[in-house]
Amino acid sequence: MTTPVVLLLDPIPADAVGDALAESFRFAGASDPILSAFDAGAGRGDGIFETLGVNDGRARGIDAHLDRFAASATKLDLPQPNLPQWRAAIERVLGELPRTGQASIRLVLTRGNGGTPTCWVTGSIVDGDFPERTTGIRVVTLSRGYANDVGEHAPWLLVGAKTLSYAVNMAALREAKRRGADDAVFVSTDGFALEGPTSSLLLRQGDRIVTPAIQHGILAGTTQADLFDVLTAEGFTCESRRIDTRELLRSDAAWLVSSVRLAAPITAVDGTDVATDPELTARMNAALLG
Ligand code: PLP
């Protein structure tokens, strides 16, 4: 099989085992028509997804991604995914990807058309070497339009779920480019830094590493969690808390981190250069790739 790889999953109950599981996959061609024009995922972005980073044939953080996938399904009142089925699907797609180099795997579950979810997994080779892991990214701060505690008061906004409704996130990236930057950091209306449109925010302040706490309306990042383990083992104190937007300018280093691009050091915020830590960035990316 050549990449990209597409594997369709028959939706099965979350607790189904045995034969139901074994017979629930089908490979498709990359340009096969797998989706109805009436699918809620296509028409309304009503569904959830996950993107996993793959290096040399191994996917990072499968458990963490599956846990977040299940949590997103709960938040959207979608049927619970059968996690052994999705894990087996990831393994099948991994088996079709090259044994060396970087790739990504995406899990998608939509509300489907008429009550049955539509489910698929794709695998794609990642082109290029992500020069921004060393050269860095310039970011602009962009309002998310609500206060940092919105998740507690308006759960229907789904702030902590990884939904297919990413049009706003993509618009923020285009706005960042229009302003001459590479990426964005969303900020709350009450002045707190939240996350990037497709990434989590990490700051170094001396021997402390801080990230916005998830109760403040952001996605729980799997890369951030892995880096907290790595950095705690290095002797850093890692904490999740509210982060005043002004801290972006006065930290010793800042990164946007995510599963495929990994740790991209922030070199400028709203046109002002900020401090970077190239050695620590290199260690973080080596650990994520290792
Ligand atoms: N925040 C948002 C809004 C994202 O879309 C992503 C990833 O796509 C992240 C954070 C980082 O999550 P992860 O590290 O699990 O890739």
Side-chain angles (χ1 to χ4, degrees):
M1 181 162 303
T2 53
T3 53
V5 182
V6 181
L7 184 66
L8 305 179
L9 281 68
D10 290 335
I12 57 172
D15 55 358
V17 289
D19 288 350
L21 194 85
E23 289 160 17
S24 63
F25 307 99
R26 180 164 51 92
F27 280 108
S31 52
D32 285 359
I34 64 159
L35 205 60
S36 156
F38 297 98
D39 192 283
R44 293 190 159 148
D46 192 357
I48 54 173
F49 77 105
E50 282 295 323
T51 305
L52 290 76
V54 177
N55 189 42
D56 292 343
R58 286 193 315 272
R60 192 172 52 76
I62 296 177
D63 288 342
H65 282 284
L66 287 176
D67 287 350
R68 193 171 64 185
F69 199 49
S72 294
T74 301
K75 287 192 163 115
L76 271 74
D77 304 312
L78 285 163
Q80 272 302 303
N82 180 303
L83 295 186
Q85 182 196 28
W86 286 86
R87 184 184 299 278
I90 293 170
E91 295 298 340
R92 289 204 185 185
V93 169
L94 271 177
E96 301 296 326
L97 291 172
R99 307 316 294 164
T100 56
Q102 291 171 58
S104 69
I105 289 183
R106 176 163 292 198
L107 322 180
V108 182
L109 186 158
T110 84
R111 203 174 301 278
N113 173 21
T116 308
T118 311
C119 308
W120 71 91
V121 177
T122 57
S124 318
I125 292 173
V126 170
D127 287 330
D129 252 351
F130 294 101
E132 59 270 48
R133 288 178 192 160
T134 43
T135 57
I137 50 173
R138 293 157 299 157
V139 303
V140 287
T141 54
L142 296 179
S143 172
R144 198 166 224 181
Y146 40 66
N148 82 92
D149 59 354
V150 69
E152 289 155 35
H153 305 306
W156 54 88
L157 292 179
L158 302 175
V159 285
K162 198 161 168 67
T163 80
L164 290 173
S165 309
Y166 260 48
V168 167
N169 305 48
M170 298 299 105
L173 284 179
R174 290 194 301 278
E175 178 62 21
K177 304 245 154 76
R178 263 195 292 276
R179 297 187 189 191
D182 307 299
D183 211 322
V185 174
F186 282 130
V187 297
S188 65
T189 49
D190 46 352
F192 297 102
L194 299 174
E195 63 186 339
T198 61
S199 53
S200 311
L201 175 69
L202 242 65
L203 305 178
R204 179 172 81 74
Q205 298 174 344
D207 60 4
R208 283 182 182 273
I209 303 286
V210 294
T211 196
I214 53 168
Q215 54 268 41
H216 302 306
I218 60 163
L219 194 71
T222 63
T223 315
Q224 170 267 313
D226 283 351
L227 284 171
F228 267 29
D229 289 345
V230 169
L231 295 165
T232 301
E234 276 209 18
F236 286 96
T237 301
C238 295
E239 60 178 358
S240 306
R241 61 165 171 81
R242 273 200 310 209
I243 294 180
D244 189 306
T245 304
R246 287 166 295 192
E247 292 183 57
L248 286 172
L249 291 172
R250 47 173 199 249
S251 293
D252 298 310
W255 301 266
L256 286 180
V257 307
S258 52
S259 290
V260 179
R261 188 174 64 182
L262 306 183
I266 295 176
T267 58
V269 177
D270 294 327
T272 300
D273 288 347
V274 295
T276 57
D277 186 339
E279 290 77 26
L280 184 55
T281 305
R283 292 204 300 281
M284 283 160 58
N285 280 322
L288 290 170
L289 286 169

